[in-house]
Amino acid sequence: MPSIVIPAHNEERTLGRLLATLLRGTAEDEFDILVVCNGCTDGTAAVAAAHGPRVRVVETPVPSKHQALRLGDTHARGFPRIYVDADVELGAADVRALAAALTGPDPVLAAAPERHLPMTGCSWPVRAYYRVWQRLPAVQGGLFGRGVIAVSGPGHARIAALPPLMADDLAASLAFADGERTVVRTARVVVRPPRTWRDLIRRRIRAATSTAQLEQKQRESDAGRSSDAPSARTGLGDLRALLRADPTLLPALLVFLTAALVARRAARRAIRSGDFDTWLRDDSSRQS
Protein backbone atom coordinates (compact mmCIF):
# COMPACT_ATOMS: atom_id res chain seq x y z
CA MET A 1 0.00 0.00 0.00
CA PRO A 2 1.61 3.30 -1.04
CA SER A 3 1.68 5.91 1.72
CA ILE A 4 0.97 9.49 0.67
CA VAL A 5 2.27 12.10 3.10
CA ILE A 6 0.90 15.63 2.68
CA PRO A 7 2.49 18.36 4.83
CA ALA A 8 0.02 21.25 5.08
CA HIS A 9 0.45 24.68 6.65
CA ASN A 10 -2.68 26.86 6.38
CA GLU A 11 -3.85 25.19 3.17
CA GLU A 12 -7.62 25.12 3.69
CA ARG A 13 -8.11 26.76 0.28
CA THR A 14 -6.15 24.14 -1.67
CA LEU A 15 -6.13 20.89 0.32
CA GLY A 16 -9.70 19.89 -0.51
CA ARG A 17 -8.96 20.09 -4.23
CA LEU A 18 -5.98 17.75 -3.87
CA LEU A 19 -7.76 15.22 -1.66
CA ALA A 20 -10.83 15.05 -3.89
CA THR A 21 -8.59 14.34 -6.89
CA LEU A 22 -6.56 11.71 -5.04
CA LEU A 23 -9.59 9.84 -3.72
CA ARG A 24 -11.60 9.82 -6.94
CA GLY A 25 -11.85 6.31 -8.34
CA THR A 26 -9.80 4.61 -5.62
CA ALA A 27 -10.54 1.46 -3.66
CA GLU A 28 -11.16 1.76 0.07
CA ASP A 29 -7.73 0.49 1.10
CA GLU A 30 -5.71 1.34 -1.99
CA PHE A 31 -3.73 4.27 -0.53
CA ASP A 32 -2.63 5.27 2.95
CA ILE A 33 -3.22 9.04 2.92
CA LEU A 34 -1.84 11.12 5.77
CA VAL A 35 -2.22 14.89 6.14
CA VAL A 36 0.23 16.48 8.58
CA CYS A 37 -1.16 19.86 9.64
CA ASN A 38 1.81 21.85 10.93
CA GLY A 39 1.36 25.16 12.73
CA CYS A 40 -2.06 25.71 11.15
CA THR A 41 -4.24 28.59 12.30
CA ASP A 42 -7.03 28.00 9.78
CA GLY A 43 -9.37 25.13 8.91
CA THR A 44 -6.83 22.85 7.22
CA ALA A 45 -7.39 19.98 9.67
CA ALA A 46 -11.18 20.25 9.31
CA VAL A 47 -10.91 20.15 5.50
CA ALA A 48 -8.81 16.98 5.72
CA ALA A 49 -11.10 15.31 8.25
CA ALA A 50 -14.15 16.07 6.10
CA HIS A 51 -12.91 13.56 3.53
CA GLY A 52 -13.63 10.67 5.87
CA PRO A 53 -11.68 7.75 7.29
CA ARG A 54 -9.55 7.22 4.19
CA VAL A 55 -7.64 10.38 5.16
CA ARG A 56 -5.77 10.34 8.46
CA VAL A 57 -4.92 13.64 10.12
CA VAL A 58 -1.94 14.37 12.34
CA GLU A 59 -1.49 17.81 13.91
CA THR A 60 1.57 19.54 15.32
CA PRO A 61 1.90 23.13 16.55
CA VAL A 62 5.33 23.45 14.91
CA PRO A 63 5.14 25.28 11.53
CA SER A 64 7.92 23.32 9.80
CA LYS A 65 7.64 21.36 6.57
CA HIS A 66 10.74 19.31 7.40
CA GLN A 67 9.39 18.30 10.79
CA ALA A 68 5.98 17.62 9.25
CA LEU A 69 7.56 15.24 6.75
CA ARG A 70 9.45 13.40 9.47
CA LEU A 71 6.33 13.24 11.64
CA GLY A 72 4.44 11.87 8.66
CA ASP A 73 7.09 9.17 8.30
CA THR A 74 6.45 7.98 11.85
CA HIS A 75 2.76 7.48 11.07
CA ALA A 76 2.95 6.27 7.46
CA ARG A 77 2.21 2.60 6.97
CA GLY A 78 3.81 1.57 3.71
CA PHE A 79 5.99 1.98 0.66
CA PRO A 80 6.38 3.40 -1.84
CA ARG A 81 6.30 6.67 0.10
CA ILE A 82 4.93 9.63 -1.85
CA TYR A 83 5.33 13.18 -0.53
CA VAL A 84 2.83 15.64 -1.97
CA ASP A 85 2.56 19.40 -1.42
CA ALA A 86 -0.94 20.45 -0.38
CA ASP A 87 -1.31 23.07 -3.12
CA VAL A 88 -0.88 20.78 -6.16
CA GLU A 89 -3.28 18.39 -7.89
CA LEU A 90 -2.43 14.71 -8.29
CA GLY A 91 -4.78 11.89 -9.27
CA ALA A 92 -4.99 8.25 -8.30
CA ALA A 93 -3.77 7.08 -11.71
CA ASP A 94 -0.71 9.30 -11.30
CA VAL A 95 0.07 7.73 -7.92
CA ARG A 96 -0.22 4.27 -9.45
CA ALA A 97 2.19 5.21 -12.24
CA LEU A 98 4.72 6.58 -9.75
CA ALA A 99 4.44 3.45 -7.59
CA ALA A 100 4.99 1.24 -10.65
CA ALA A 101 8.24 3.04 -11.47
CA LEU A 102 9.53 2.21 -7.99
CA THR A 103 8.35 -1.40 -7.82
CA GLY A 104 8.39 -2.66 -11.42
CA PRO A 105 10.89 -4.92 -13.18
CA ASP A 106 13.49 -2.15 -13.52
CA PRO A 107 12.81 -0.01 -10.44
CA VAL A 108 14.40 3.32 -9.58
CA LEU A 109 14.88 4.79 -6.12
CA ALA A 110 12.97 8.03 -6.70
CA ALA A 111 10.40 9.32 -9.15
CA ALA A 112 8.26 12.36 -9.87
CA PRO A 113 5.48 13.13 -12.34
CA GLU A 114 5.47 15.40 -15.35
CA ARG A 115 4.43 18.92 -14.32
CA HIS A 116 1.65 20.94 -15.89
CA LEU A 117 1.61 24.68 -15.20
CA PRO A 118 -1.73 26.27 -16.16
CA MET A 119 -1.04 29.86 -17.19
CA THR A 120 -4.63 31.12 -17.16
CA GLY A 121 -4.77 34.34 -15.16
CA CYS A 122 -1.00 34.82 -15.09
CA SER A 123 0.51 38.15 -16.13
CA TRP A 124 2.59 38.23 -19.32
CA PRO A 125 5.96 38.48 -17.49
CA VAL A 126 5.09 35.36 -15.51
CA ARG A 127 4.16 33.51 -18.69
CA ALA A 128 7.40 34.69 -20.30
CA TYR A 129 9.47 33.55 -17.33
CA TYR A 130 8.02 30.05 -17.34
CA ARG A 131 8.36 29.77 -21.10
CA VAL A 132 12.11 29.73 -20.49
CA TRP A 133 12.15 27.97 -17.12
CA GLN A 134 10.28 24.89 -18.35
CA ARG A 135 12.82 24.39 -21.16
CA LEU A 136 15.89 24.28 -18.92
CA PRO A 137 17.57 20.83 -18.91
CA ALA A 138 17.83 20.70 -15.10
CA VAL A 139 14.16 21.62 -14.76
CA GLN A 140 13.06 19.01 -17.28
CA GLY A 141 15.11 16.19 -15.76
CA GLY A 142 15.11 17.07 -12.07
CA LEU A 143 12.53 15.96 -9.53
CA PHE A 144 12.22 19.41 -7.96
CA GLY A 145 9.57 22.04 -8.65
CA ARG A 146 6.84 19.44 -9.04
CA GLY A 147 5.41 19.30 -5.52
CA VAL A 148 5.63 15.49 -5.60
CA ILE A 149 8.48 13.09 -4.90
CA ALA A 150 8.00 9.34 -4.60
CA VAL A 151 10.63 7.05 -3.10
CA SER A 152 11.12 3.35 -2.50
CA GLY A 153 12.29 1.99 0.84
CA PRO A 154 16.01 2.35 -0.05
CA GLY A 155 15.31 5.74 -1.61
CA HIS A 156 13.59 6.90 1.55
CA ALA A 157 16.60 5.88 3.63
CA ARG A 158 18.73 8.20 1.54
CA ILE A 159 16.55 11.31 1.79
CA ALA A 160 15.77 10.70 5.47
CA ALA A 161 19.45 11.37 6.18
CA LEU A 162 19.29 14.84 4.61
CA PRO A 163 19.47 17.86 6.94
CA PRO A 164 16.53 20.29 7.23
CA LEU A 165 16.65 22.55 4.18
CA MET A 166 14.35 25.08 2.55
CA ALA A 167 15.06 23.47 -0.83
CA ASP A 168 13.94 20.05 0.36
CA ASP A 169 12.76 18.92 -3.09
CA LEU A 170 15.96 20.10 -4.78
CA ALA A 171 18.10 18.36 -2.16
CA ALA A 172 16.08 15.18 -2.60
CA SER A 173 16.46 15.35 -6.38
CA LEU A 174 20.22 15.85 -6.19
CA ALA A 175 20.55 12.95 -3.73
CA PHE A 176 19.98 10.53 -6.62
CA ALA A 177 22.08 9.99 -9.72
CA ASP A 178 20.44 10.08 -13.15
CA GLY A 179 20.05 6.31 -13.27
CA GLU A 180 18.49 6.22 -9.82
CA ARG A 181 15.66 8.67 -10.48
CA THR A 182 13.13 9.24 -13.22
CA VAL A 183 10.37 11.56 -14.35
CA VAL A 184 7.37 9.33 -15.07
CA ARG A 185 5.85 10.51 -18.35
CA THR A 186 2.52 8.75 -17.69
CA ALA A 187 1.98 10.65 -14.43
CA ARG A 188 1.06 14.32 -14.24
CA VAL A 189 0.83 16.88 -11.46
CA VAL A 190 -0.82 20.27 -11.80
CA VAL A 191 1.39 22.96 -10.24
CA ARG A 192 -0.21 26.39 -10.18
CA PRO A 193 2.34 29.14 -10.91
CA PRO A 194 2.21 32.61 -9.36
CA ARG A 195 -0.10 34.99 -11.19
CA THR A 196 1.74 38.24 -10.58
CA TRP A 197 5.30 39.50 -11.04
CA ARG A 198 5.49 40.32 -7.33
CA ASP A 199 4.61 36.78 -6.32
CA LEU A 200 6.99 35.33 -8.91
CA ILE A 201 9.82 37.37 -7.41
CA ARG A 202 8.86 36.15 -3.92
CA ARG A 203 9.18 32.59 -5.17
CA ARG A 204 12.50 33.29 -6.87
CA ILE A 205 13.92 34.98 -3.75
CA ARG A 206 12.98 31.88 -1.79
CA ALA A 207 14.60 29.69 -4.44
CA ALA A 208 17.81 31.76 -4.46
CA THR A 209 18.00 31.71 -0.66
CA SER A 210 17.32 28.01 -0.38
CA THR A 211 19.82 27.14 -3.11
CA ALA A 212 22.49 29.13 -1.27
CA GLN A 213 21.68 27.21 1.92
CA LEU A 214 21.95 23.88 0.10
CA GLU A 215 25.32 24.84 -1.38
CA GLN A 216 26.53 25.96 2.04
CA LYS A 217 25.61 22.58 3.51
CA GLN A 218 27.38 20.84 0.65
CA ARG A 219 30.56 22.83 1.32
CA GLU A 220 30.40 22.02 5.03
CA SER A 221 29.92 18.31 4.43
CA ASP A 222 32.77 18.25 1.90
CA ALA A 223 35.21 20.31 3.99
CA GLY A 224 38.73 18.96 3.78
CA ARG A 225 38.19 16.89 0.64
CA SER A 226 37.66 17.60 -3.02
CA SER A 227 34.06 17.64 -4.15
CA ASP A 228 32.09 17.76 -7.33
CA ALA A 229 28.73 18.33 -5.69
CA PRO A 230 25.71 18.11 -8.01
CA SER A 231 23.92 21.35 -8.77
CA ALA A 232 20.78 22.49 -10.57
CA ARG A 233 21.94 26.06 -11.15
CA THR A 234 21.29 27.49 -14.60
CA GLY A 235 24.38 28.54 -16.50
CA LEU A 236 24.68 31.05 -19.32
CA GLY A 237 25.54 28.15 -21.59
CA ASP A 238 22.10 26.65 -20.96
CA LEU A 239 20.42 29.93 -21.87
CA ARG A 240 22.53 30.40 -25.00
CA ALA A 241 21.63 26.87 -26.12
CA LEU A 242 17.92 27.63 -25.70
CA LEU A 243 18.26 30.82 -27.71
CA ARG A 244 20.15 29.09 -30.52
CA ALA A 245 17.42 26.44 -30.69
CA ASP A 246 14.61 29.03 -30.66
CA PRO A 247 15.54 32.68 -31.32
CA THR A 248 11.94 33.76 -30.62
CA LEU A 249 12.71 33.13 -26.94
CA LEU A 250 14.78 36.32 -26.71
CA PRO A 251 12.09 38.56 -25.10
CA ALA A 252 11.17 35.81 -22.63
CA LEU A 253 14.84 35.22 -21.91
CA LEU A 254 15.29 38.89 -20.97
CA VAL A 255 12.36 38.58 -18.53
CA PHE A 256 13.91 35.40 -17.09
CA LEU A 257 17.28 37.09 -16.55
CA THR A 258 15.63 40.14 -14.96
CA ALA A 259 13.73 37.95 -12.50
CA ALA A 260 16.89 36.01 -11.64
CA LEU A 261 18.94 39.16 -11.02
CA VAL A 262 16.24 40.86 -8.94
CA ALA A 263 15.72 37.74 -6.84
CA ARG A 264 19.42 37.12 -6.22
CA ARG A 265 19.96 40.72 -5.16
CA ALA A 266 16.99 40.58 -2.78
CA ALA A 267 18.16 37.26 -1.34
CA ARG A 268 21.59 38.58 -0.34
CA ARG A 269 20.45 39.97 3.01
CA ALA A 270 18.88 36.69 4.09
CA ILE A 271 21.92 34.74 2.91
CA ARG A 272 24.37 37.03 4.74
CA SER A 273 22.39 36.78 7.97
CA GLY A 274 21.82 33.04 7.62
CA ASP A 275 18.04 33.50 7.58
CA PHE A 276 16.92 30.23 6.04
CA ASP A 277 13.64 30.05 7.95
CA THR A 278 11.57 32.90 6.51
CA TRP A 279 9.23 31.35 3.94
CA LEU A 280 8.10 33.89 1.33
CA ARG A 281 4.72 32.49 0.42
CA ASP A 282 3.03 33.03 -2.92
CA ASP A 283 -0.70 33.47 -2.29
CA SER A 284 -1.73 34.35 -5.84
CA SER A 285 -1.35 30.72 -6.96
CA ARG A 286 -3.75 29.69 -4.19
CA GLN A 287 -6.62 31.71 -5.57
CA SER A 288 -9.51 29.68 -6.93
Side-chain angles (χ1 to χ4, degrees):
M1 177 189 294
S3 280
I4 302 170
V5 177
I6 305 171
H9 172 69
N10 289 344
E11 293 288 2
E12 66 176 355
R13 287 187 290 174
T14 62
L15 179 61
R17 184 175 60 201
L18 168 63
L19 292 176
T21 307
L22 272 176
L23 292 170
R24 191 176 300 125
T26 61
E28 187 70 24
D29 297 323
E30 185 173 1
F31 302 143
D32 169 38
I33 301 177
L34 181 67
V35 176
V36 185
C37 303
N38 60 100
C40 292
T41 57
D42 66 354
T44 298
V47 170
H51 284 78
R54 286 194 289 172
V55 177
R56 295 188 292 137
V57 182
V58 174
E59 295 186 69
T60 172
V62 181
S64 164
K65 182 180 180 181
H66 180 82
Q67 292 194 35
L69 291 171
R70 299 291 77 82
L71 180 60
D73 279 336
T74 65
H75 290 269
R77 294 169 176 161
F79 284 98
R81 188 76 43 86
I82 303 171
Y83 301 99
V84 183
D85 289 351
D87 60 340
V88 304
E89 293 176 57
L90 187 75
D94 306 305
V95 173
R96 296 181 193 117
L98 291 171
L102 300 170
T103 59
D106 189 21
V108 293
L109 299 181
E114 287 275 18
R115 67 169 75 78
H116 170 63
L117 280 71
M119 292 294 164
T120 303
C122 295
S123 65
W124 75 263
V126 171
R127 295 196 303 272
Y129 177 90
Y130 281 104
R131 188 182 174 205
V132 173
W133 185 81
Q134 292 188 83
R135 288 170 165 80
L136 295 173
V139 171
Q140 291 186 338
L143 306 186
F144 60 90
R146 302 172 191 272
V148 179
I149 290 184
V151 292
S152 64
H156 173 264
R158 188 174 299 182
I159 65 171
L162 295 173
L165 293 165
M166 287 179 71
D168 58 296
D169 59 342
L170 176 58
S173 179
L174 296 178
F176 301 99
D178 289 344
E180 298 176 322
R181 70 185 188 208
T182 189
V183 175
V184 179
R185 306 303 174 186
T186 55
R188 190 183 84 151
V189 60
V190 177
V191 182
R192 298 185 182 276
R195 294 185 177 184
T196 68
W197 176 258
R198 177 177 179 273
D199 280 297
L200 172 64
I201 294 302
R202 288 171 67 86
R203 276 201 190 188
R204 300 323 303 165
I205 293 171
R206 188 177 74 211
T209 305
S210 57
T211 299
Q213 181 195 27
L214 173 59
E215 291 173 345
Q216 176 180 305
K217 292 292 184 181
Q218 288 174 331
R219 288 193 298 270
E220 292 172 356
S221 64
D222 294 323
R225 61 180 186 273
S226 61
S227 170
D228 187 18
S231 173
R233 279 197 180 273
T234 299
L236 290 178
D238 296 321
L239 300 180
R240 283 194 291 265
L242 290 181
L243 192 57
R244 283 195 299 270
D246 184 0
T248 67
L249 281 176
L250 180 59
L253 190 59
L254 295 175
V255 173
F256 180 90
L257 287 170
T258 299
L261 291 172
V262 170
R264 289 183 186 180
R265 180 173 297 177
R268 287 174 185 168
R269 179 179 297 178
I271 295 170
R272 284 196 300 264
S273 64
D275 178 10
F276 300 119
D277 297 314
T278 301
W279 188 270
L280 296 179
R281 183 172 168 127
D282 157 34
D283 286 318
S284 68
S285 62
R286 290 171 168 81
Q287 298 173 10
S288 58

